[in-house]
Amino acid sequence: MEKKIAVYICTGCGIGDALDIDALSKVASKEFKANICKTDAFLCGKSGIDLIKQDIDGEGVNTVVVAGCSSRVNTDVFNFGPDKIVERVNLREQVIWCHPGEDEDTQMLAEDYLRMSLAKLKNLNLPEPFIGENLSSTVLVVGGGFTGLTAALESARAGYKTVLVEKEAELGGYVGKMYKQVPMKPPFTDLEENSIPALIKAVEDAGVKVYTSAVIAKTAGGPGMFDVTINQNGTDVEERVGSIVLATGAKPYEPEKLGHLGFGQYKNVITQLMFEEMVAAGKMDANKVAFIQCAGSRDQEHLPYCSAACCIESIKQALYVKEKNPEANVYVYYKDIRSNGQYEHFYKKAQQAGVIFIKGDITDISESDGQLTIEADDHTMGTKSVADEFDLVVLANGMVPTAALGETVEEAPAEDEAAAASDEPKVTVAPIIKSNLLNLEYRQGPELPALKYGFPDSHYICFPYETRRTGIYAAGVVRAPMDMLSAAEDATGAALKAIQCIESTLKGEAVHPRSGDMSFPEFNMNRCTQCKRCTEECPFGAINEDEKANPLPNPTRCRRCGTCMGACPERIISFKNYSVPMIGNMVKAIEVPEEADEKPRILIFACENDAIPALDMAGINRLQYNPWVRIIPVRCLGSLNLVWINDAMAKGFDGVLLMGCKHGDDYQCHFMKGSELAEIRLSKISETLNRLGLESERVRATTVNIMDYDKIPAMLDEFAAELEEFGPNPMKDFQ
Amino acid sequence: MEQTTKLPESVKYDLTFAREIYSLENGSYIKQCMQCGMCAISCATRDIMDYSPRRLFNLIKLGKKDEVLKSNTFWYCTSCCTCKARCPRGIPLVDVMHDLKRYAIKNGYVDYPQAAFCKAFWAEVAGRGKVFEGGVTARFYLIRGLDEVLKAMEMKDIGINMLKRGRLPMFPPKKIKGMGNLKKIIRKAQEIQRKEEAR
Amino acid sequence: MKYSFYPGCSMEATAQANLVSIKAVASALDLQLEEIHDWNCCGATVASGVVGDFTQQVMTGRNLAIAEPKGQDVVVGCSSCYLSLAVTNKRFREDEHFRALANEALAEGGYKYNGTLRVRQFLEVVINDVGFEKIAKKVKRPLKGLKVAGYVGCQTVRAIPYEFDDPEYPVLMDRLTEALGATATPFPMKARCCGSSNAIADTKIVLDSALKIFESASQGGAQLMVTPCPMCQLNLDAYQQLVNKVHGTSYNMPILFFTQLMAIAFDLPPDAWALKYNIVPPGAALASFGVG
């Protein structure tokens, strides 16, 4: 489309007092020859918006540049419909709120930001959504236990066609085998009847299509267009679904490995599940019972994590014993009672019923005449404790997610032997375990990547249910150890995400975290060298490849982070509204003063998810920082293409700083690997810089989270001081 | 027992004593203690107690009757209610301590002077319907014996000051008029209380 | 406003200053206190240790039963009595099982209590029923510059937490002393236990507790302390000399009932100040206001 550009400079919020607005207007009208350039004292007010709308209607303006507040605010106010490009220049949060007014350097900063925005527009186009063919609105739920049934019910009740696949002949899963279940409603103190039969009936009544004795043989395609092969009793059935909820649950930790607690040695040492079945069968007549918590869990030799549900399950089982015989003696040996949330009431209830809780480690379990003796270190009293004549000892043996059962897929050997041999840093690869749950036809492996301990989560704080495969949502104990209340919440949440995915995909929008983004990566295949970096580095497995190693993008799987764009050495990948030349133009638009002017310049690539909000917050808090910086927001540092750094250094910038999210085990990156990949790419550019005679320390990466805003001024000053020691970039005078 | 000789440090769980304590008026609250320690850090007299309240509760749970009843914990409780106000499990610790005092007195664990003070105080109330502070003091020394009186002599300055300031009347207040009724009420209340605790 | 008034045993002996000043202040503020007829001891926190909470609360209930026909709020001046009466009253109101059993016992003496009354500390009545504004207007002798540590002690605010002030860090008494024109000084230990009834049985407990309280009050710069509680007043006033002797300190901190300070600020007749009962003489602190 032919762009008709109008620039509107807001003079409100103190902008008009701090800056020379006439000079700024000249940048737009003289330097960039914008069709229209106007100012208004209250652009987000009615008169301001009307002014813009009049130009759109009267003058045919289709590209609106708003120079005022941050793009993080007033997004709804400055929205003129899907066919108008809106570009925001942050004169408020990142200029006048963090730099002195009526100041030469502040003015230069504001003018540069306006130049950058206008230069960016040259290569920016309205995105056209990718709408897949034959899109499905069906939700597939894998696993027919408590979580799966709940998710299927929620999805069906929300009006979506739902398919449920269960491996066993009967629905119900682990919870289905229980005598009674933990409380799910206030006052959270009473044992409840097993809810599975009612749940199964509700699922059937809601019209969910159920496959039992069935497994997923193959999952191909992507969101909106998953082609799933279901193998039921040896026969294959095809289903096309829009999104998938993985609720395959967990298995009890193998008790055979708990010989030190007497399992396998003494017949009266049993597991939680065995006890549950014993009570359900009416065969439990023990009057002195001990429950041993963390049997395997929170134990480096066994499961390093807390299995989360065992404490309340044991409390429940202790109450079975008390229910049958209130005079029975029941002991619970524990590390910490973790009765999260409302289950604190349940714990208290058990205490009131006379269950004795002993905080301590078991030192020995012995048997004589079928009765068991437990010795332990009592940590609250600092003594040894002995209790004997137990009829039964029940081990709370924790849980292992079904996703963790199977061989770990070996990492494919690097094609480039030389690269493999060098000691270049490599991206840590999330393990994929061949657990035979989904059998994905994805280039990057057949199952969901694990976050930790085999749990296929992706970002446990910000985005529960989200896995690293778009459109596939994990819920319940396969995602993380949890109790039943949490599992019910998980099931509902995941069903909601699955529905959101279907709806977004129908509109050709990104689901998450760039919800509503209609852009997607396009590949200029003429120049592709089949290097496979894009397919290897995509954190979401969005790009498959053919036998000749040509990338085969799946736009509905894409989260629009731009990691592929940053990875491509040939720069053939771009989005309509985000591309290598677009950012390159921004870099080039910045005026870098000559060495004699003694005005250094530092280029910052800042992640839009955390670093940009932090920079805005620094402004909101009126923290003053270095005026030499020029900030370019990026979707993710994963989209950083090294050519931008070359451009910046050639242009005469004294330094480049990347501000991204923390990576490693407790990463904060919204796209998992972005900041880590950027740092690895950075390590590769140091050689180039040295060849140019430039110190490689001029380019570096740092991590900023949103709450680090108060540290930003010092961070920038420190970097500026170090750059000063290197002296000005010698390229300055050659531009 | 064999087990204990093998492991002299160890404790065995004897639920009989625990159940007896749980049956006291406020005793069953002890069961809901989750050993968080809030009482211990809140207590104004913790530093001179043998056991913090939570440890005492644990000893009860373990059935350590002698340790519990010989401990000074409940005698040193000043009823300041800080722990009671803070306990996240809503245990009225002060009231539990009252029960333990009573249980200890009933079982002959009366070595602490506070036990004598309680008895002296109660004797005043039961005999007069009101408390005469001079009477409580006199009764206290009567119970505790000569040693305590000699110790008290060191404090005579305090008594003299109070006398000088008119704060120690020589004569007790009159009995309340309804003393006969009050006695009947108390007798009945004790009877009901015994019945309730035996339930 | 009319109230039923429960004085408690100590007001007839060690805390006569409390009774005298409460009565004087009440009449100055038009609060009519009608003593509960033939009231008996509430058992304080001590009787329960011998006869149990139930019997102690039944005994306390006799007083409420006598007061009930008048339907007036029961006002208590002593903190320990307030604890007994307020907690007992709460049980009568909220615990049906208890109420039935307790009335079974009370019936032996011909009494019944239905739990219809409110039990209130005199401090709370002064603050809520009179109010700071009216109190300030009554002040004829503003205590400007007088630095006062408001020692609320424990039972007043913790009998029923949050009933009228914060159980951890009460502030209302400070606002009251400010209404009298004085300055409320910082006092972290303002709700710390004074050792309570251990003065006789185990004096050391009181001496050690009192030391911490004196330290805290003097660090805040207080010239005198006010309290609503007879036990606190007694322990801190009568044992102050011994604290100094045992701990080698030299505190000379007058301890007044807050009502004594009110009587002074209202410029009631000197008899109402009841200063003759104070063991640590308040003269030095109050001399500049023409008192002493």
Side-chain angles (χ1 to χ4, degrees):
Chain A
M1 103 189 163
E2 183 72 22
K3 291 194 193 84
K4 181 140 187 186
I5 299 173
V7 178
Y8 301 92
I9 301 171
C10 182
T11 58
C13 293
I15 297 171
D17 302 330
L19 298 174
D20 179 349
I21 300 296
D22 288 342
L24 202 55
S25 302
K26 276 181 195 139
V27 172
S29 49
K30 297 269 161 21
E31 270 182 52
F32 280 84
K33 310 260 184 293
N35 306 72
I36 292 171
C37 180
K38 292 181 177 172
T39 64
D40 191 90
F42 186 16
L43 201 57
C44 61
K46 192 178 177 306
S47 65
I49 298 299
D50 285 348
L51 175 73
I52 299 172
K53 283 184 174 161
Q54 275 163 22
D55 290 346
I56 289 173
D57 296 340
E59 307 290 329
V61 167
N62 57 13
T63 303
V64 179
V65 178
V66 174
C69 44
S70 162
S71 63
R72 295 178 53 80
V73 297
N74 286 329
T75 36
D76 50 340
V77 179
F78 296 117
N79 179 359
F80 304 103
D83 59 339
K84 307 285 180 297
I85 294 171
V86 176
E87 175 61 22
R88 306 278 294 271
V89 185
N90 191 345
L91 296 182
R92 192 176 72 169
E93 283 83 348
Q94 290 182 15
V95 181
I96 63 144
W97 278 357
C98 49
H99 298 283
E102 296 176 276
D103 177 274
E104 183 190 21
D105 289 323
T106 308
Q107 182 70 23
M108 289 172 95
L109 180 65
E111 291 179 14
D112 268 349
Y113 279 153
L114 184 57
R115 280 186 194 104
M116 287 154 75
S117 282
L118 289 164
K120 176 182 177 184
L121 286 172
K122 255 185 260 170
N123 289 66
L124 190 146
N125 288 301
L126 272 179
E128 292 151 22
F130 172 89
I131 313 272
E133 276 169 30
N134 193 13
L135 292 177
S136 165
S137 297
T138 302
V139 175
L140 168 67
V141 178
V142 186
F146 176 73
T147 305
L149 287 166
T150 308
L153 182 63
E154 294 289 349
S155 155
R157 282 193 178 158
Y160 288 80
K161 205 181 145 208
T162 307
V163 175
L164 178 65
V165 174
E166 165 60 41
K167 174 165 62 52
E168 303 291 332
E170 302 284 335
L171 293 172
Y174 186 94
V175 176
K177 299 188 182 83
M178 286 177 178
Y179 166 59
K180 283 187 182 176
Q181 72 184 31
V182 294
M184 302 290 282
K185 56 179 182 294
F188 296 98
T189 52
D190 303 323
L191 295 176
E192 289 180 9
E193 291 306 314
N194 193 319
S195 63
I196 290 289
L199 200 51
I200 292 174
K201 182 161 186 313
V203 163
E204 283 164 356
D205 292 349
V208 174
K209 189 171 178 187
V210 178
Y211 293 91
T212 49
S213 305
V215 294
I216 308 290
K218 195 173 87 177
T219 305
M225 44 210 288
F226 283 113
D227 287 314
V228 183
T229 309
I230 300 164
N231 184 298
Q232 188 179 35
N233 294 317
T235 315
D236 280 352
V237 188
E238 297 281 334
E239 289 276 0
R240 171 161 269 223
V241 301
S243 55
I244 300 173
V245 175
L246 181 76
T248 46
K251 291 267 182 253
Y253 181 63
E254 284 167 76
E256 291 75 17
K257 292 181 180 163
L258 301 172
H260 62 292
L261 295 174
F263 191 90
Q265 267 187 80
Y266 313 124
K267 69 174 176 20
N268 290 333
V269 177
I270 62 173
T271 66
Q272 269 188 337
L273 182 61
M274 289 161 80
F275 185 79
E276 201 71 51
E277 287 170 336
M278 183 187 267
V279 179
K283 287 182 184 152
M284 202 286 295
D285 48 13
N287 284 315
K288 191 162 181 183
V289 184
F291 292 88
I292 297 177
Q293 299 309 107
C294 296
S297 299
R298 299 176 68 193
D299 182 339
Q300 290 306 326
E301 308 278 302
H302 300 277
L303 305 174
Y305 52 85
C306 166
S307 291
C310 335
C311 281
I312 39 179
E313 286 299 320
S314 286
I315 287 168
K316 180 189 76 175
Q317 296 187 336
L319 286 171
Y320 290 170
V321 185
K322 283 285 185 186
E323 188 185 50
K324 193 154 182 240
N325 173 13
E327 296 303 309
N329 293 328
V330 188
Y331 293 75
V332 178
Y333 290 86
Y334 67 94
K335 276 199 179 87
D336 300 289
I337 289 293
R338 291 187 171 173
S339 53
N340 297 339
Q342 300 294 344
Y343 287 124
E344 185 69 14
H345 300 292
F346 196 45
Y347 170 28
K348 190 168 156 188
K349 167 72 180 282
Q351 288 184 309
Q352 284 165 335
V355 177
I356 294 174
F357 289 84
I358 300 159
K359 184 180 170 76
D361 292 332
I362 308 295
T363 51
D364 187 51
I365 295 185
S366 56
E367 188 195 39
S368 120
D369 298 332
Q371 291 200 311
L372 297 147
T373 300
I374 298 176
E375 289 173 27
D377 289 327
D378 182 331
H379 291 327
T380 42
M381 296 307 286
T383 56
K384 288 225 164 272
S385 87
V386 183
D388 58 4
E389 297 176 335
F390 285 109
D391 303 325
L392 266 185
V393 170
V394 183
L395 304 181
N397 52 326
M399 59 172 87
V400 182
T402 44
L405 304 171
E407 294 291 308
T408 302
V409 177
E410 287 295 315
E411 205 184 308
E415 293 291 308
D416 184 349
E417 294 293 326
S422 75
D423 3 297
E424 277 179 10
K426 282 210 76 160
V427 187
T428 50
V429 177
I432 291 181
I433 300 160
K434 229 175 149 168
S435 52
N436 203 24
L437 299 175
L438 294 171
N439 292 305
L440 299 171
E441 295 258 290
Y442 278 45
R443 184 245 182 248
Q444 287 161 322
E447 298 291 339
L448 301 174
L451 178 68
K452 207 155 191 191
Y453 311 128
F455 291 97
D457 208 346
S458 68
H459 196 292
Y460 59 100
I461 297 171
C462 297
F463 316 118
Y465 332 120
E466 240 19 275
T467 70
R468 285 180 52 178
R469 294 295 174 259
T470 309
I472 305 178
Y473 304 94
V477 290
V478 72
R479 177 176 80 83
M482 64 182 73
D483 55 50
M484 280 182 68
L485 264 181
S486 313
E489 189 183 301
D490 237 45
T492 312
L496 198 68
K497 290 303 290 187
I499 290 168
Q500 187 191 356
C501 170
I502 286 171
E503 294 298 333
S504 299
T505 307
L506 285 173
K507 287 186 273 183
E509 291 177 353
V511 192
H512 149 95
R514 297 182 56 80
S515 312
D517 185 354
M518 288 196 286
S519 68
F520 62 91
E522 292 165 274
F523 293 67
N524 179 1
M525 291 304 293
N526 296 335
R527 280 170 36 218
C528 176
T529 59
Q530 291 83 30
C531 75
K532 305 215 280 191
R533 290 207 188 146
C534 56
T535 58
E536 271 170 16
E537 292 192 1
C538 172
F540 307 105
I543 313 169
N544 280 5
E545 57 197 40
D546 65 12
E547 53 282 8
K548 289 182 186 151
N550 285 309
L552 300 173
N554 290 272
T556 66
R557 291 185 200 163
C558 176
R559 296 199 192 170
R560 284 79 169 171
C561 55
T563 297
C564 50
M565 176 178 119
C568 183
E570 294 298 316
R571 307 193 285 280
I572 68 162
I573 306 171
S574 53
F575 297 76
K576 284 262 190 302
N577 56 3
Y578 189 57
S579 63
V580 176
M582 188 184 98
I583 303 286
N585 286 342
M586 290 172 80
V587 175
K588 289 171 196 152
I590 299 165
E591 290 201 338
V592 178
E594 288 178 6
E595 190 188 327
D597 292 347
E598 287 181 359
K599 288 191 189 294
R601 285 290 178 263
I602 301 166
L603 187 63
I604 296 179
F605 290 105
C607 164
E608 281 179 1
N609 300 295
D610 262 51
I612 287 290
L615 285 157
D616 273 3
M617 273 170 73
I620 289 164
N621 288 283
R622 304 297 198 278
L623 304 179
Q624 301 277 308
Y625 56 73
N626 192 302
W628 314 139
V629 300
R630 298 294 182 265
I631 301 161
I632 296 181
V634 290
R635 288 187 176 185
C636 172
L637 279 191
S639 66
L640 178 91
N641 199 294
L642 290 181
V643 73
W644 300 337
I645 294 179
N646 285 333
D647 288 350
M649 296 319 283
K651 175 89 181 157
F653 275 90
D654 300 280
V656 178
L657 184 64
L658 310 184
M659 283 186 169
C661 308
K662 193 169 164 190
H663 50 83
D665 265 1
D666 49 350
Y667 68 89
Q668 292 281 307
C669 176
H670 286 42
F671 301 100
M672 282 84 194
K673 295 278 162 210
S675 47
E676 191 180 356
L677 286 165
E679 279 190 37
I680 287 167
R681 288 180 200 145
L682 215 51
S683 69
K684 293 176 182 167
I685 205 174
S686 31
E687 202 188 318
T688 323
L689 290 175
N690 289 335
R691 213 166 41 227
L692 289 168
L694 286 169
E695 300 78 0
S696 55
E697 290 87 350
R698 286 182 185 272
V699 182
R700 66 179 65 176
T702 185
T703 57
V704 174
N705 88 43
I706 196 160
M707 292 314 292
D708 287 338
Y709 68 90
D710 57 332
K711 302 188 184 81
I712 281 175
M715 204 181 272
L716 298 178
D717 285 346
E718 218 169 278
F719 187 46
E722 285 172 41
L723 290 176
E724 201 169 339
E725 282 181 25
F726 296 134
N729 177 350
M731 309 293 285
K732 269 187 208 297
D733 298 334
F734 296 108
Q735 51 167 311
Chain B
M1 266 189 285
E2 252 180 57
Q3 289 282 13
T4 34
T5 45
K6 199 174 75 186
L7 289 163
E9 286 290 300
S10 72
V11 291
K12 289 199 67 174
Y13 300 92
D14 169 14
L15 300 188
T16 332
F17 172 65
R19 285 190 172 141
E20 219 169 291
I21 297 295
Y22 294 161
S23 74
L24 300 175
E25 192 175 349
N26 302 292
S28 69
Y29 285 112
I30 295 172
K31 291 193 282 190
Q32 64 199 44
C33 167
M34 60 175 183
Q35 298 288 316
C36 70
M38 181 54 96
C39 50
I41 62 148
S42 303
C43 184
T45 46
R46 165 66 185 107
D47 52 349
I48 51 168
M49 283 178 177
D50 302 330
Y51 308 105
S52 67
R54 73 144 181 107
R55 274 179 181 267
L56 191 74
F57 291 175
N58 219 343
L59 282 172
I60 291 169
K61 184 181 83 182
L62 300 175
K64 305 287 274 181
K65 180 169 179 173
D66 220 41
E67 276 90 334
V68 171
L69 295 181
K70 280 186 178 159
S71 87
N72 62 16
T73 302
F74 43 90
W75 295 117
Y76 280 176
C77 166
T78 61
S79 304
C80 78
C81 299
T82 311
C83 55
K84 182 180 171 178
R86 289 181 184 171
C87 176
R89 277 302 182 82
I91 302 172
L93 286 99
V94 173
D95 307 335
V96 173
M97 296 302 166
H98 291 158
D99 282 337
L100 291 172
K101 285 176 188 171
R102 181 162 59 100
Y103 188 88
I105 291 175
K106 213 163 74 183
N107 286 278
Y109 289 82
V110 288
D111 288 350
Y112 289 100
Q114 284 86 350
F117 182 80
C118 284
K119 286 163 86 171
F121 187 96
W122 177 248
E124 276 291 308
V125 179
R128 194 177 279 121
K130 282 187 185 177
V131 170
F132 173 48
E133 284 149 322
V136 176
T137 315
R139 284 175 202 265
F140 173 78
Y141 291 122
L142 217 61
I143 301 169
R144 294 293 292 178
L146 193 64
D147 281 2
E148 213 78 25
V149 178
L150 288 176
K151 251 198 272 171
M153 297 304 280
E154 294 172 15
M155 306 216 302
K156 68 178 191 304
D157 288 352
I158 291 169
I160 289 170
N161 274 334
M162 284 170 60
L163 268 173
K164 275 202 290 200
R165 288 287 172 179
R167 293 173 69 168
L168 279 185
M170 297 305 285
F171 301 103
K174 283 198 185 111
K175 268 187 201 172
I176 64 162
K177 294 193 188 75
M179 195 59 219
N181 281 343
L182 182 63
K183 276 188 171 158
K184 277 194 230 161
I185 293 171
I186 292 171
R187 207 177 300 123
K188 184 70 180 172
Q190 291 277 275
E191 188 190 304
I192 294 171
Q193 196 171 311
R194 271 192 299 274
K195 244 194 305 186
E196 280 292 296
E197 288 182 345
R199 280 207 315 174
Chain C
M1 284 283 269
K2 278 189 186 178
Y3 303 87
S4 291
F5 181 55
Y6 181 86
C9 305
S10 69
M11 294 224 198
E12 298 183 341
T14 52
Q16 291 163 74
N18 199 14
L19 186 66
V20 171
S21 56
I22 282 180
K23 284 189 166 171
V25 167
S27 84
L29 294 172
D30 296 328
L31 305 170
Q32 293 185 42
L33 305 182
E34 296 175 353
E35 189 167 321
I36 295 174
H37 172 72
D38 199 37
W39 56 269
N40 60 270
C41 169
C42 69
T45 51
V46 187
S48 299
V50 182
V51 292
D53 280 353
F54 179 76
T55 303
Q56 181 257 322
Q57 286 169 348
V58 167
M59 230 170 71
T60 305
R62 177 180 172 272
N63 300 307
L64 297 170
I66 296 170
E68 194 170 40
K70 278 193 175 171
Q72 295 162 176
D73 288 358
V74 175
V75 172
V76 187
C78 162
S79 295
S80 197
C81 301
Y82 171 68
L83 173 78
S84 288
L85 268 76
V87 170
T88 298
N89 192 44
K90 194 171 154 69
R91 268 196 101 178
F92 266 99
R93 292 174 78 103
E94 294 171 4
D95 183 345
E96 235 171 278
H97 180 66
F98 169 85
R99 187 166 65 234
L101 292 179
N103 275 324
E104 196 184 323
L106 285 175
E108 289 288 308
Y111 300 106
K112 182 168 194 281
Y113 178 52
N114 300 307
T116 58
L117 300 180
R118 265 181 86 190
V119 172
R120 307 174 62 188
Q121 229 295 346
F122 187 64
L123 174 67
E124 183 261 322
V125 171
V126 166
I127 288 166
N128 287 329
D129 293 5
V130 181
F132 297 125
E133 214 173 305
K134 206 166 151 198
I135 291 167
K137 277 187 195 145
K138 283 272 171 196
V139 173
K140 302 244 169 60
R141 188 200 305 271
L143 301 171
K144 202 158 163 38
L146 183 66
K147 292 178 185 153
V148 180
Y151 182 59
V152 184
C154 43
Q155 294 169 339
T156 306
V157 281
R158 287 201 284 271
I160 299 177
Y162 301 102
E163 177 84 344
F164 65 94
D165 205 348
D166 190 294
E168 304 277 350
Y169 200 77
V171 294
L172 291 179
M173 202 159 71
D174 287 345
R175 298 294 90 80
L176 180 64
T177 46
E178 282 163 2
L180 303 179
T183 305
T185 56
F187 188 18
M189 291 283 182
K190 60 162 82 166
R192 176 83 178 186
C193 175
C194 71
S196 176
S197 61
N198 277 296
I200 291 171
D202 204 334
T203 318
K204 196 174 175 305
I205 294 179
V206 169
L207 300 183
D208 292 354
S209 307
L211 178 70
K212 286 180 190 151
I213 293 160
F214 289 138
E215 270 172 9
S216 173
S218 22
Q219 274 166 14
Q223 295 169 284
L224 63 78
M225 276 163 69
V226 291
T227 179
C229 174
M231 184 66 79
C232 300
Q233 200 283 337
L234 178 67
N235 283 352
L236 297 180
D237 190 13
Y239 289 82
Q240 197 169 132
Q241 224 172 25
L242 196 57
V243 170
N244 285 335
K245 196 170 147 195
V246 170
H247 291 292
T249 50
S250 54
Y251 293 112
N252 191 21
M253 179 76 73
I255 316 292
L256 271 62
F257 289 103
F258 74 93
T259 42
Q260 289 179 282
L261 199 66
M262 288 178 84
I264 294 166
F266 291 174
D267 200 19
L268 303 181
D271 274 356
W273 305 349
L275 293 176
K276 67 172 179 175
Y277 298 105
N278 282 66
I279 293 167
V280 177
L286 293 171
S288 58
F289 303 99
V291 176

